[in-house]
Amino acid sequence: MSNTVWINALAELQQQGEPCVLVTIIEERGSTPRNAGSKMVVSRERLYDTIGGGHLEYKAQKIAREMLENRVRETRLERFSLGASLGQCCGGATVLLFEPMGQPQAHIAVFGAGHVGRALVPLLASLPCKVRWIDSRESEFPAQIPAGVEKVLNDEVVDEVENMPAGSYFIVMTHNHQLDLELTAAILSRGDFTYYGLIGSKSKRAKFEHRLRDRGFQAETVQRMRCPMGVAEVKGKLPVEIAVSIAGEVIATYNANFGEKSADGEKPVPMLVPAARRSQTG
């Protein structure tokens, strides 16, 4: 019976796009509370199954939650002696394997459920990304939302900018230029994003740069805006072609940022595409 608990938990968490750590006893010596092969799953909020309870399980849970907090993606081995220091009198030793599962490489907010949004979101959903898809128009969303994508219906879409964690990716492609501008101002004001892409042409970028300067934004802040966004080498005007181009840039960005984390509240360092590519956006 217990075997199905952790398996079902993994499947459920994966479906929800919720990261977790699978903890497995891989070696036991002497007297231990549970046999080798025993597993438990640790999410940010819950614990599924058990590796024997007591202080060992508490320590394992603490390590797993630290790994989740730090977005660790490498497996980890830890050896514990089950003596007085762990408050357990079994006298044995246990080696635990910690395996991060489903850790998203990017938290992405996609604003706009138009043609390109509908082509882009399924691509992002198939990547190790956690996606929030935001629009004020219920009718624009497809009947089926891809698994792992959170649909957000809000008349005040700009309010959703502050609901994303630090280091997020923002992609703006709404039906309204003024709304695009308000979203741009809100995102640039945060300053703690890893990536901000705005759909549009070089002339749209020039207009936005002028308006943002009038609002007091510094040139280096505005320069972080990707517009036109996407991989320049991917040509085409079809929604799916544009979506593939944007998804390619998202992948390039989270690969460039691999292993990075904002520590102690510091802003993540924006490592976008190489400077040679960035200069083409003007």
Side-chain angles (χ1 to χ4, degrees):
M1 177 70 180
S2 181
N3 277 347
T4 64
V5 175
W6 67 266
I7 293 171
N8 292 342
L10 272 185
E12 186 181 323
L13 291 166
Q14 188 171 15
Q15 179 70 24
Q16 295 168 354
E18 181 72 28
C20 60
V21 176
L22 177 63
V23 183
T24 307
I25 299 177
I26 62 165
E27 187 180 347
E28 46 167 345
R29 292 180 184 170
S31 176
T32 59
R34 291 291 300 274
N35 296 332
S38 298
K39 298 175 186 287
M40 73 173 179
V41 173
V42 183
S43 73
R44 285 197 173 92
E45 304 295 332
R46 291 186 60 190
L47 204 59
Y48 304 84
D49 225 322
T50 180
I51 54 167
H55 203 55
L56 172 67
E57 186 164 291
Y58 172 77
K59 290 275 285 188
Q61 178 182 329
K62 190 164 181 287
I63 290 169
R65 294 239 161 92
E66 284 171 1
M67 291 173 71
L68 288 170
E69 179 65 27
N70 293 318
R71 300 182 189 178
V72 174
R73 290 172 47 227
E74 297 80 20
T75 57
R76 176 171 167 179
L77 280 174
E78 291 283 344
R79 184 182 186 279
F80 299 90
S81 297
L82 302 181
S85 64
L86 278 181
Q88 292 183 248
C89 54
C90 307
T94 298
V95 178
L96 299 183
L97 172 65
F98 295 81
E99 296 176 274
M101 301 283 181
Q103 186 66 260
Q105 292 193 16
H107 289 262
I108 304 179
V110 177
F111 292 89
H115 294 301
V116 178
R118 290 196 294 272
L120 174 63
V121 167
L123 292 178
L124 297 178
S126 68
L127 297 170
C129 300
K130 193 165 186 178
V131 182
R132 300 184 82 235
W133 194 6
I134 303 153
D135 205 304
S136 60
R137 304 162 298 163
E138 171 76 66
S139 60
E140 289 298 306
F141 287 103
Q144 290 293 111
I145 303 295
V149 173
E150 181 186 356
K151 170 183 156 185
V152 180
L153 194 64
N154 189 340
D155 287 337
E156 303 297 332
V157 294
V158 179
D159 291 350
E160 293 296 330
V161 171
E162 65 185 28
N163 291 334
M164 295 297 291
S168 289
Y169 292 55
F170 293 91
I171 295 171
V172 169
M173 44 178 66
T174 79
H175 57 293
N176 183 301
H177 270 232
Q178 186 59 37
L179 180 55
D180 282 356
L181 181 63
E182 297 308 322
L183 283 165
T184 300
I187 292 161
L188 294 182
S189 292
R190 278 192 59 152
D192 60 355
F193 56 89
T194 294
Y195 173 91
Y196 171 45
L198 170 68
I199 199 163
S201 61
K202 290 184 179 181
S203 62
K204 179 177 179 179
R205 181 190 182 96
K207 287 176 189 169
F208 272 45
E209 283 184 343
H210 180 72
R211 290 177 183 175
L212 290 163
R213 276 199 301 271
D214 286 349
R215 292 192 185 197
F217 284 92
Q218 297 299 310
E220 59 267 25
T221 302
V222 177
Q223 190 59 33
R224 294 186 62 195
M225 175 177 71
R226 298 284 304 157
C227 180
M229 65 173 153
V231 178
E233 291 76 11
V234 179
K235 309 293 184 187
K237 300 293 183 188
L238 293 174
V240 69
E241 291 171 329
I242 299 167
V244 166
S245 170
I246 295 166
E249 188 162 82
V250 167
I251 294 167
T253 304
Y254 71 57
N255 284 341
N257 283 277
F258 175 74
E260 240 183 51
K261 183 183 181 288
S262 53
D264 303 323
E266 291 176 10
K267 293 177 184 174
V269 181
M271 287 176 57
L272 300 183
V273 288
R277 269 281 290 116
R278 213 176 304 151
S279 65
Q280 295 176 19
T281 62

